[in-house]
Amino acid sequence: MITVENLVGDSKLYTLHSHTQFCDGKATMAEFAAAACAAGFTHYGFSPHSPVPIESPCNMSKADVPAYMAEIRRLKELYNGRMKIYASMEIDYLGPAWGPSNPYFDTLDLDYRIGSVHFIPSQSGDIIDVDGRFDSFTRKMAENFRGDIRYVVDTFYDCSEAMVKEGSLDIIGHLDKIGHNAGHFKEGIEQEPWYKERVERLLRMVKDAGIIVEINTKAWIEHRRMFPSIAMFDRLAAGNYPIVVNSDAHQPLLINASRAEAFIMLDKAKH
């Protein structure tokens, strides 16, 4: 089983979630690796958005997977002895037919798998991306979801629970990310009892499945938001959850962005 200990040990000089030219990243894998090594990282994981069987401008294509894996092998050899490099994917869960447990991913030499929910089915069955900026989310709420924010949130957590049940993910990515857009759409929704119970239920399932929780720092600079939210840090610490702190960087300049802040918050939660 993949654990935090056998990935990075006690080191804080790592990040295991990043996006490069193979999906929606803004630089090459070589540029990311060079920046990570220069910053003193000892462990670095590449995790392009996985191929998906739908149209998506953010996801890598199956045709590019061999080139991605070849570049991983080249960089592992290049940085051998200086920085440990990992091959991963952030695998989108689209339902029983596609997710981290799909046999396709067993054919790839991945060191670990991040499972994430970015897409959910609308009431009419269309697969819609609910990630991204709030203006896009607001438009989709009107055009695709009939303005029903409760449906969107419940469906996001239904998909997350199904992904955990189906297994084969080592890390769950930004497990409450829907809360950010949902909270803008309906102020205070994350404090409502039913919402808190959805998050709590997912956390219990994640713990029972032995899955590592990602603290995702990507939104801290712009929105002062971590995923999961800072309000959950005490819960994670009290429950002794295995945790990794990832920057989810899409450009080399941000490979270590806000990770120090997250570690400080986690240390406070433990005391």
Side-chain angles (χ1 to χ4, degrees):
M1 177 182 291
I2 298 293
T3 66
V4 174
E5 288 73 21
N6 66 30
L7 280 175
V8 299
D10 294 327
S11 174
K12 293 183 179 181
L13 299 174
Y14 71 86
T15 190
L16 303 176
H17 188 161
S18 62
H19 299 283
T20 67
Q21 83 272 23
F22 282 104
C23 56
D24 58 347
K26 309 304 181 186
T28 66
M29 290 172 64
E31 290 171 313
F32 272 87
C37 190
F41 277 53
T42 55
H43 302 74
Y44 198 81
F46 291 101
S47 57
H49 291 289
S50 71
V52 287
I54 60 174
E55 290 294 322
S56 171
C58 294
N59 291 72
M60 75 183 304
S61 70
K62 273 190 178 182
D64 285 337
V65 172
Y68 165 65
M69 297 305 299
E71 182 66 350
I72 283 284
R73 291 189 293 271
R74 187 185 75 84
L75 292 172
K76 282 188 176 187
E77 182 175 348
L78 180 64
Y79 287 94
N80 185 33
R82 291 184 289 163
M83 180 173 68
K84 190 168 181 61
I85 288 178
Y86 302 95
S88 180
M89 287 185 182
E90 184 178 16
I91 303 172
D92 278 295
Y93 182 79
L94 302 181
W98 195 263
S101 65
N102 189 284
Y104 168 70
F105 298 103
D106 295 334
T107 69
L108 307 178
D109 189 19
L110 300 177
D111 294 306
Y112 58 91
R113 304 178 195 185
I114 301 174
S116 297
V117 175
H118 300 96
F119 302 86
I120 66 170
S122 69
Q123 293 95 325
S124 60
D126 297 321
I127 303 299
I128 306 298
D129 184 355
V130 292
D131 198 32
R133 294 198 170 273
F134 182 59
D135 56 351
S136 174
F137 181 81
T138 301
R139 186 181 70 254
K140 292 171 183 176
M141 284 298 302
E143 295 177 356
N144 302 106
F145 296 110
R146 307 169 192 168
D148 189 345
I149 192 63
R150 177 69 184 260
Y151 170 85
V152 169
V153 171
D154 274 332
T155 304
F156 176 90
Y157 285 112
D158 288 345
C159 290
S160 299
E161 289 181 7
M163 178 177 68
V164 170
K165 286 179 182 177
E166 291 172 27
S168 296
L169 64 155
D170 302 296
I171 300 170
I172 185 166
H174 45 62
L175 63 81
D176 69 338
K177 198 171 187 185
I178 194 63
H180 180 64
N181 277 332
H184 284 295
F185 190 83
K186 183 183 179 186
E187 187 176 354
I189 194 170
E190 292 179 275
Q191 281 68 56
E192 295 182 14
W194 69 270
Y195 183 96
K196 290 183 177 181
E197 175 53 30
R198 291 308 315 247
V199 177
E200 176 62 26
R201 196 164 81 188
L202 178 58
L203 283 173
R204 290 195 298 265
M205 292 179 63
V206 167
K207 183 64 179 292
D208 290 345
I211 295 168
I212 299 167
V213 174
E214 172 189 75
I215 303 294
N216 187 303
T217 68
K218 178 184 175 184
W220 182 254
I221 293 174
E222 185 175 0
H223 300 292
R224 285 298 183 264
R225 172 79 191 227
M226 300 280 185
F227 301 110
S229 71
I230 297 166
M232 295 183 209
F233 283 19
D234 287 343
R235 170 74 174 83
L236 295 172
N240 198 29
Y241 279 75
I243 289 169
V244 290
V245 178
N246 290 330
S247 61
D248 192 0
H250 287 60
Q251 52 183 300
L253 181 65
L254 298 176
I255 56 173
N256 205 23
S258 307
R259 293 180 66 259
E261 291 90 331
F263 280 119
I264 290 170
M265 294 175 197
L266 285 169
D267 287 342
K268 288 181 179 178
K270 294 174 183 176
H271 297 94

